[in-house]
C-alpha cells in the first residue's frame, strides 16, 4: 500500500483516507524487471479513492466509501487497447514503421502510427513515400542513433535513441523531470467555491462526476484514458478533434467509452468552442506543451474566460527543459529514460508488459481532476493539474520499490475482467474499468461512437 499512499499524496489527498483502501495482490500480474505492478495499482487506487471522496462529499455521506484495488482488474485495464476486439477482430497496435531499428552505433525507436508522422519520418530519411521496412532499415543502419533522433525531430517526426539509465540521468531533460513533483498542482485564481449539485446516496450507482462538463482535447493514450475514466464516473465528456486529423479507429474504440466525439476547427469554429467553454467545468489537453497556446488555450487564458475551471494537462516530456516542446509517446519515453535498456532481452531492447506510463499517468490525471473539484467545493479557485509521462517513468525507475505483500491470489488471465457490449462500431469485447468503490459504477453507461459523429454541443 506504500505506493498507493504516495500517489494519493501526490494528488493532494488527505492521508487519513488511506485507511479506506484495500488491495487484492495477485501473482503473475504485469511481470517485469521494474515494479510495474506496484505503479499500476497505485495509480488506479489513488483514482478510485479520489472518486469515492468526491462522491461522499456530494452525497453527504458520513464517511468515504471503501475502495478495493484488484491486481487482476488493473492488469486487464492496462492492456485495454490490446484486449479490445471489434466483431471478433483484434486491434492493430503498431504500424510497420513504429518499431526498434539498429543504427550504426546502437538503436532508435520510431513512432509512425499516424500517416503524417510516417510521412515526416520518411522525408527526414530522404526516402520515398512508399518506402518499405527494409528500405528504412538499410538507411538507418548507416546512421548514428543521436543523429537520427535529431534529424527526424527536426522534420516533425518521432524517433528517439536508446539510452541506458545512466545516459538518461546525465541528460538535461532528466534533471528537469526529476526536480518536479509527480503531479504538478496550481491554483490559478481566487474565485469562490464551486457549488456542485448534491447526489442522492440511495441512487445506484454513485457517480461522483455527474453534472461535470469535460472538454476532451487529448490523443493517445494517457489523456483519453483520463477522460474515459471521468466519463465512467458520470461526467459529460465531449471529445474534440481537428477535422483533418482523424483518430486511429481501434484506438478511438478503446478510449471512447462513455464519451461523445465531435470535430472542431479551433480557428474556423472558434465561436462554437467559446460557447462550449462558457459552461465547461474541466478542460483536459494532451498535445505537446504550448501547441494550443496560439489558440488562446493556455491554462491562464482559459481560466480568465471561464473562472472556476479545472485545466488538466498531460505531455510526454513535461512542459519544461530542452525537450519541453517535443512530441512523444509512451514507447518513446521508455526508450529515452532507460526503461527499454533495463527490460532488454538477449541484447534486444525491451518494453514494459503494458503501456504503463500512458495508463498510469491517465489514471493519475483523472485522480488529480477529481481532487481539484473536491478542493474547489470548499476552497474555490480555478485549478491547473499537470503530469508528464517522463515524470511517471522517473517514479517507476528511481522511486518505487517492489512491494513485500504476500501474493495470496493467482492471476489466470484477464477473462474475469472482460465484458461484451453492442455498439455503433460493432460488438465490442473490452476490459472493464478497474476502479472499485462501494456503490460505484461497474461499467460505462454508453459504448463508444464513431469518430466525429456527434455535434459539438453539450447535452
Amino acid at each position: 500500500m506504500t505506493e498507493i499512499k504516495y500517489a494519493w499524496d501526490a494528488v493532494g489527498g488527505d492521508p487519513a483516507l488511506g485507511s479506506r483502501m484495500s488491495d487484492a495482490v495477485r501473482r503473475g500480474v504485469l511481470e517485469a524487471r521494474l515494479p510495474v505492478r506496484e505503479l499500476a495499482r497505485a495509480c488506479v487506487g489513488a483514482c478510485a479513492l479520489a472518486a469515492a471522496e468526491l462522491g461522499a462529499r456530494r452525497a453527504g455521506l458520513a464517511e468515504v466509501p471503501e475502495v478495493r484495488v484488484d491486481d487482476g482488474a488493473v492488469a486487464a485495464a492496462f492492456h485495454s487497447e490490446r484486449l479490445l476486439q471489434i466483431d471478433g477482430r483484434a486491434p492493430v497496435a503498431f504500424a510497420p514503421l513504429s518499431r526498434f531499428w539498429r543504427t550504426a552505433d546502437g538503436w532508435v525507436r520510431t513512432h509512425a502510427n499516424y500517416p503524417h508522422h510516417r510521412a515526416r519520418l520518411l522525408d527526414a530519411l530522404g526516402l520515398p513515400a512508399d518506402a518499405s521496412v527494409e528500405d528504412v532499415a538499410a538507411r538507418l543502419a548507416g546512421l548514428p542513433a543521436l543523429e537520427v533522433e535529431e534529424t527526424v525531430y527536426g522534420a516533425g517526426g518521432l524517433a528517439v535513441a536508446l539510452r541506458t539509465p545512466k545516459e538518461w540521468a546525465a541528460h538535461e531533460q532528466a534533471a528537469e523531470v526529476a526536480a518536479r513533483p509527480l503531479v504538478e498542482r496550481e491554483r490559478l485564481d481566487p474565485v469562490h467555491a464551486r457549488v456542485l449539485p448534491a447526489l442522492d446516496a440511495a441512487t445506484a450507482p454513485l457517480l461522483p462526476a455527474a453534472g461535470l462538463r469535460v472538454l476532451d482535447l487529448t490523443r493517445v493514450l494517457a489523456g483519453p484514458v483520463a477522460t474515459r475514466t471521468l466519463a465512467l464516473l458520470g461526467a459529460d465528456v465531449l471529445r474534440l478533434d481537428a477535422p483533418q486529423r482523424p483518430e486511429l479507429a481501434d484506438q478511438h474504440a478503446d478510449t471512447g467509452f462513455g464519451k461523445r466525439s465531435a470535430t472542431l476547427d479551433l480557428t474556423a469554429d472558434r465561436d462554437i468552442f467559446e460557447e462550449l467553454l462558457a459552461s465547461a467545468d474541466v478542460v483536459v489537453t494532451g498535445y505537446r506543451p504550448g501547441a494550443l497556446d496560439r489558440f488562446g488555450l493556455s491554462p491562464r487564458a482559459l481560466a480568465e474566460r471561464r473562472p472556476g475551471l479545472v485545466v488538466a494537462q498531460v505531455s510526454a516530456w513535461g512542459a519544461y527543459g530542452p525537450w519541453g516542446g517535443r512530441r512523444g509517446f509512451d514507447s518513446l519515453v521508455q526508450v529515452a529514460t532507460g526503461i527499454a535498456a533495463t527490460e532488454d532481452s538477449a541484447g534486444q531492447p525491451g518494453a514494459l508488459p503494458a503501456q504503463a506510463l500512458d495508463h498510469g499517468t491517465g489514471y493519475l490525471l483523472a485522480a488529480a481532476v477529481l481532487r481539484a473539484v473536491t478542493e474547489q467545493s470548499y476552497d474555490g479557485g480555478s485549478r491547473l493539474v499537470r503530469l508528464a509521462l517522463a515524470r511517471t517513468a522517473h517514479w517507476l525507475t528511481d522511486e518505487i520499490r517492489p512491494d513485500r505483500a504476500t501474493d495470496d491470489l493467482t492471476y489466470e488471465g484477464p477473462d474475469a475482467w472482460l465484458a461484451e457490449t453492442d455498439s455503433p462500431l460493432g460488438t465490442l469485447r473490452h476490459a472493464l474499468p478497474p476502479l472499485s468503490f462501494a456503490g460505484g459504477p461497474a461499467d460505462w453507461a454508453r459504448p463508444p461512437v464513431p469518430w466525429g459523429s456527434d455535434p459539438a454541443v453539450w447535452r
Side-chain angles (χ1 to χ4, degrees), residues 83-108:
L83 294 172
L84 178 75
Q85 288 188 0
I86 305 173
D87 290 331
R89 177 184 62 80
V92 176
F94 286 101
L97 299 190
S98 295
R99 49 166 283 185
F100 282 106
W101 309 86
R102 281 194 178 275
T103 64
D105 59 354
W107 297 85
V108 295

Side-chain angles (χ1 to χ4, degrees), residues 287-363:
Y287 293 80
R288 60 190 174 87
L292 297 176
D293 289 7
R294 62 192 176 95
F295 298 105
L297 303 185
S298 69
R300 292 194 178 278
L302 288 167
E304 286 175 1
R305 303 202 301 281
R306 175 59 171 160
L309 191 68
V310 174
V311 181
Q313 295 183 321
V314 61
S315 63
W317 310 106
Y320 38 74
W323 284 16
R326 291 199 176 195
R327 300 173 179 84
F329 295 95
D330 181 307
S331 59
L332 302 184
V333 176
Q334 289 189 41
V335 173
T337 59
I339 291 173
T342 299
E343 297 289 341
D344 77 314
S345 176
Q348 301 283 324
L352 299 178
Q355 290 185 242
L357 304 181
D358 264 334
H359 285 277
T361 305
Y363 286 109

Side-chain angles (χ1 to χ4, degrees), residues 54-55 57-59 194-200 207-208 210-212 281:
L54 178 58
R57 183 165 182 82
R58 295 187 64 186
R194 177 195 296 274
V195 179
L196 289 171
L199 298 177
D200 184 355
L207 298 174
L212 291 179
D281 300 294

